[in-house]
Amino acid sequence: MSVALLWVVSPNSQLSNCFGFADSVRDGSRLIYSSRSVCRERSSMFNCRPKKGRNQKWNACAIHVPEISSMVASTADEIAVSSEEKVYNVVLKQAALIKEQLRSSPDLDVNPDLALPGNLGLLSDAYDRCGEVCAEYAKTFYLGTLLMTPERRRAIWAIYVWCRRTDELVDGPNASHITPTALDRWESRLEDLFRGRPFDMLDAALSDTVANYRVDIQPFRDMIEGMRMDLRKSRYKNFDELYLYCYNVAGTVGLMSVPVMGIAPESKASPVSVFDAALALGIANQLTNILRDVGEDARRGRVYLPQDELAQAGLSDDDIFAGKVTDKWRRFMKSQIKRARMFFDKAEKGVTELNAASRWPVYASLLLYRQILDEIEANDYNNFTKRAYVNKAKKIAALPIAYARSLIPRSKKPLTKV
Ligand SMILES: CC(C)=CCC/C(C)=C/CC/C(C)=C/CC/C(C)=C/COP(=O)(O)OP(=O)(O)O
């Protein structure tokens, strides 16, 4: 667990002060959300029961954290905060960088001074190579990036390639040899490239990108932390733990991408809410990935489903290894799919706040990935032996829909200001 991700707060402190949750406060071991919509949304995403306030209907609700005893930190008056809050702090930091940039140079989102003329040829080759890798592994997304400005497009490729390489460390052909030390080395390479000392040409492309855009290093570190999590654990006690994993391996991609994709100059939404939507897309994608791959993961001895929710549904790892679709399983899957869809819905609201040219690839990937959930339903929830996939015809059909939606002006009701 990276140190930077472990924050502790005094149990009675107002979270609105330390985390910027305009509408949430902590009371002892419970999170209290005082906003009606936030309360409803978060309580179902986090699968916890809202409790009515003493006097008002929805004015205050308590989110009960059953594993609170495991969250108690070293001293009696301090408790570790939930994953959602830890992640939210990264969102706040990244949003603050963007706000600062908007204040200092509202019309300029790239710093052109940093390109060194002598290195331009090499850099351009490095970016081209990133483009080739992106085209090979993420065709649809690559096509979408072609709509972006050349600077943004190549920066997105550089980020994509770094994420892919990071993922390959634990999922690629050499994964069985990977050790925590190798991940530590990968992290020090990351620190170096952020300091302008790239190790190879692909790192050089990212080094240039992070010099040009206000991309914070923390999501990159957190992604490496996600790989460490994969090395050390194969079970997730509850959604709080799973949420942190999903943030590390996928939500981080959303946070890294927004500074490059850019927020529309006419957007009225706060940068925090746009980053929050980007985070939601990463989480939604990863939850979908997990639900699609239940059987495949089980064959590798892994269960990425919250253990407490499985138990509440009367299920256990044994049922997953047995791979039988029962009514209990269907009910359980329905609730998991519902939660994933809520994250997609939240993400969708943020897409229209992005720069116009960045919307289409994001919409396309959102629609395509969300359809995997429909396919799991169409397979009668058999994600043990059937891989849910979106066929070519549906993929092609999604592209113009995504394109049309990306042209629709922002909704009159902007994302919540935080
Ligand atoms: C919504 C707003 C405001 C911005 C968008 C911000 C972005 C680009 C978010 C995207 C996040 C993202 C792409 C996360 C990766 C998630 C994921 C599970 C990828 C799966 O990758 P693979 O493992 O290669 O997938 P397959 O197994 O399906 O091939």
Side-chain angles (χ1 to χ4, degrees):
M1 168 74 57
S2 93
V3 177
L5 261 178
L6 257 185
W7 285 278
V8 284
V9 290
S10 171
N12 296 318
S13 67
Q14 296 283 314
L15 271 186
S16 43
N17 295 338
C18 22
F19 290 95
F21 275 103
D23 40 17
S24 68
V25 291
R26 178 177 281 280
D27 166 28
S29 66
R30 296 175 311 173
L31 274 182
I32 307 276
Y33 290 106
S34 56
S35 131
R36 191 181 166 123
S37 60
V38 169
C39 185
R40 281 215 178 109
E41 185 184 71
R42 290 180 200 266
S43 61
S44 25
M45 278 177 175
F46 283 78
N47 215 12
C48 31
R49 232 166 260 118
K51 244 173 137 189
K52 283 177 190 170
R54 229 175 303 156
N55 303 319
Q56 300 105 326
K57 250 189 157 181
W58 268 94
N59 201 19
C61 76
I63 308 289
H64 178 59
V65 186
E67 290 70 24
I68 201 71
S69 56
S70 67
M71 295 170 76
V72 175
S74 49
T75 59
D77 62 340
E78 284 184 329
I79 59 163
V81 296
S82 73
S83 301
E84 194 198 12
E85 289 150 5
K86 289 172 198 165
V87 172
Y88 199 72
N89 227 15
V90 186
V91 167
L92 290 179
K93 197 168 158 226
Q94 181 63 81
L97 276 178
I98 292 293
K99 275 190 205 157
E100 186 191 294
Q101 176 194 15
L102 290 175
R103 264 197 305 272
S104 57
S105 52
D107 301 324
L108 191 72
D109 55 5
V110 178
N111 182 350
D113 303 338
L114 292 163
L116 302 174
N119 292 335
L120 279 182
L122 279 178
L123 250 187
S124 154
D125 288 351
Y127 276 118
D128 287 350
R129 181 71 200 119
C130 292
E132 283 163 21
V133 177
C134 188
E136 198 176 323
Y137 291 98
K139 279 193 187 65
T140 319
F141 190 69
Y142 173 79
L143 281 179
T145 61
L146 297 181
L147 284 185
M148 297 177 178
T149 62
E151 291 76 23
R152 287 205 168 105
R153 167 196 316 161
R154 59 187 211 158
I156 286 292
W157 294 342
I159 291 175
Y160 174 85
V161 165
W162 185 86
C163 294
R164 172 114 225 139
R165 290 172 101 190
T166 307
D167 188 56
E168 292 249 315
L169 292 176
V170 292
D171 243 359
N174 297 320
S176 54
H177 306 295
I178 203 77
T179 59
T181 321
L183 289 173
D184 291 347
R185 274 205 298 274
W186 186 246
E187 186 161 347
S188 53
R189 249 175 88 159
L190 170 75
E191 306 277 346
D192 284 347
L193 79 83
F194 264 79
R195 285 189 209 108
R197 293 202 301 266
F199 183 79
D200 63 14
M201 76 190 279
L202 298 177
D203 279 358
L206 185 59
S207 194
D208 183 65
T209 290
V210 301
N212 288 337
Y213 295 90
R214 303 281 177 113
V215 189
D216 186 32
I217 190 172
Q218 194 57 44
F220 293 83
R221 289 189 188 125
D222 292 342
M223 179 174 272
I224 299 175
E225 184 52 29
M227 305 304 140
R228 287 195 188 99
M229 274 174 109
D230 244 337
L231 287 187
R232 79 172 170 249
K233 64 194 276 176
S234 57
R235 298 290 185 281
Y236 292 82
K237 256 195 323 207
N238 48 37
F239 187 64
D240 187 71
E241 279 194 13
L242 184 64
Y243 179 84
L244 186 59
Y245 174 72
C246 292
Y247 157 70
N248 282 336
V249 300
T252 47
V253 186
L255 302 192
M256 297 166 189
S257 309
V258 171
V260 174
M261 292 184 160
I263 299 177
E266 70 279 10
S267 169
K268 302 256 181 319
S270 68
V272 172
S273 62
V274 182
F275 278 100
D276 220 16
L279 163 70
L281 184 54
I283 304 275
N285 285 345
Q286 189 59 33
L287 289 175
T288 303
N289 201 287
I290 286 170
L291 297 179
R292 181 194 64 191
D293 296 343
V294 169
E296 206 179 305
D297 289 332
R299 285 185 282 282
R300 297 188 300 134
R302 302 189 154 268
V303 179
Y304 289 98
L305 299 163
Q307 292 286 320
D308 64 341
E309 294 177 20
L310 275 171
Q312 275 157 27
L315 294 160
S316 69
D317 285 357
D318 289 345
D319 294 296
I320 291 171
F321 294 131
K324 232 177 129 217
V325 181
T326 58
D327 281 344
K328 268 188 202 166
W329 179 251
R330 286 188 189 93
R331 262 196 306 278
F332 174 74
M333 280 304 298
K334 277 181 196 172
S335 68
Q336 300 296 313
I337 289 175
K338 187 173 169 196
R339 174 156 61 202
R341 287 198 172 118
M342 290 180 75
F343 280 99
F344 276 120
D345 290 349
K346 182 170 183 179
E348 198 170 359
K349 290 185 193 130
V351 183
T352 40
E353 308 298 340
L354 293 172
N355 260 329
S358 305
R359 283 177 213 153
W360 188 56
V362 174
Y363 247 131
S365 68
L366 186 154
L367 294 182
L368 292 178
Y369 234 76
R370 185 162 59 187
Q371 282 188 67
I372 296 175
L373 298 174
D374 306 341
E375 298 300 330
I376 297 174
E377 288 171 340
N379 286 344
D380 191 27
Y381 307 98
N382 180 1
N383 42 7
F384 299 119
T385 55
K386 276 190 182 169
R387 192 173 210 258
Y389 77 99
V390 181
N391 67 33
K392 256 214 172 96
K394 286 185 183 166
K395 273 187 183 163
I396 292 168
L399 298 181
I401 298 174
Y403 189 65
R405 287 201 195 166
S406 65
L407 296 178
I408 297 171
R410 283 179 314 98
S411 88
K412 288 217 172 62
K413 195 170 159 254
L415 281 173
T416 357
K417 285 258 181 205
V418 181

